[in-house]
Amino acid sequence: MNIESHVIPVEGKAVHFLSAGASADTIVLLHGKSFSADTWRKTGTITALGEAGFRAVAVDLPGYGQSAPSEKREDRILGPILDALEIKAAVIVAASFSGWYAFPLLLERPDRVRGFVSAASRGIRKYQAYLQRLTFPVLALWGEKDDLVPMENADLLTASVPNGRKIVIPGGTHASYLSDPERFNQVLLEFVTTCFIGPGGAGTQSSGKPNADLSTETRMS
């Protein structure tokens, strides 16, 4: 699978991203604070999504990787990036601190979100009073041995949304996509497939109604 590297202007600042696949069904991958878009290449996540028929877009957030710093607040950055990438709607995967970038978009522009994967993302408690607004599928994907973002945050997220599921990767660390990338990618692929079922593509869940199949907790064996 060919992974392409591009730099585009976003409100006058250079933003770098990696992409694979040409489908309209898009997954946007946001990295943790110590990482970059290239992390998703190293874990095989971009390739796995592209080979499964999706378009995977891993973004270097402003000031990270090859992207220039931005004066904009972190809660106002993701929308303009999606605009510049011409992404109307996507599944958003937010690892750790990138939750600060993701949650404002999830809450203010749910029409642009097909699903959300919280890979132990930050911001859950800050926005907990508004989480019930998230009617699209939500996956809390945590490593069993995460010592940075407590598992209680995953429970809070899935209990607050009508269409949530928690999956725990045994032995996984805070960055479970690094400690067990094979399992992480497997779970991610299964989830994003459910987000693209129905009218609007290989499948937008546009009704906003909960999917009972996702309202459970799973601990992988």
Side-chain angles (χ1 to χ4, degrees):
M1 170 63 64
N2 182 44
I3 299 177
E4 299 180 350
S5 173
H6 299 278
V7 175
I8 57 172
V10 178
E11 298 186 339
K13 301 294 184 179
V15 170
H16 171 258
F17 68 96
L18 301 173
S19 66
S23 173
D25 296 340
T26 304
I27 293 87
V28 173
L29 302 163
L30 305 178
H31 59 81
K33 191 168 187 177
S34 300
F35 306 107
S36 68
D38 195 54
T39 303
W40 297 114
R41 179 190 62 80
K42 293 176 180 177
T43 60
T45 307
I46 298 175
T47 296
L49 290 168
E51 289 182 343
F54 299 102
R55 179 190 180 201
V57 178
V59 178
D60 274 334
L61 293 168
Y64 293 85
Q66 300 179 47
S67 290
S70 172
E71 293 80 22
K72 293 181 74 70
R73 291 182 354 208
E74 59 193 13
D75 60 352
R76 290 292 176 263
I77 288 175
L78 188 53
I81 289 176
L82 296 185
D83 290 340
L85 290 167
E86 299 183 347
I87 297 174
K88 294 182 178 180
V91 174
I92 307 295
V93 180
S96 194
F97 102 118
S98 62
W100 297 120
Y101 296 80
F103 276 109
L105 179 82
L106 304 179
L107 293 165
E108 296 172 13
R109 293 298 309 273
D111 57 303
R112 305 198 71 171
V113 183
R114 296 293 180 251
F116 173 57
V117 179
S118 171
S121 55
R122 306 279 186 175
I124 293 171
R125 293 195 177 275
K126 176 180 178 179
Y127 293 103
Q128 67 180 91
Y130 310 101
L131 294 176
Q132 72 275 8
R133 300 179 186 175
L134 307 183
T135 58
F136 42 75
V138 172
L139 173 64
L141 184 49
W142 248 251
E144 180 184 23
K145 297 183 178 180
D146 190 332
D147 57 359
L148 294 179
V149 179
M151 191 75 69
E152 289 79 6
N153 287 22
D155 296 329
L156 174 61
L157 176 60
T158 54
S160 301
V161 300
N163 196 2
R165 181 180 184 183
K166 181 178 83 172
I167 292 183
V168 178
I169 296 181
T173 63
H174 175 59
S176 60
Y177 45 89
L178 289 175
S179 57
D180 196 341
E182 183 176 353
R183 291 196 186 200
F184 181 93
N185 292 341
Q186 175 191 345
V187 172
L188 179 60
L189 281 170
E190 291 173 354
F191 175 75
V192 299
T193 299
T194 70
C195 296
F196 294 108
I197 298 173
T204 305
Q205 290 198 359
S206 56
S207 67
K209 296 179 180 178
N211 181 340
D213 291 339
L214 293 177
S215 302
T216 58
E217 175 182 342
T218 301
R219 182 175 294 269
M220 298 187 72
S221 59

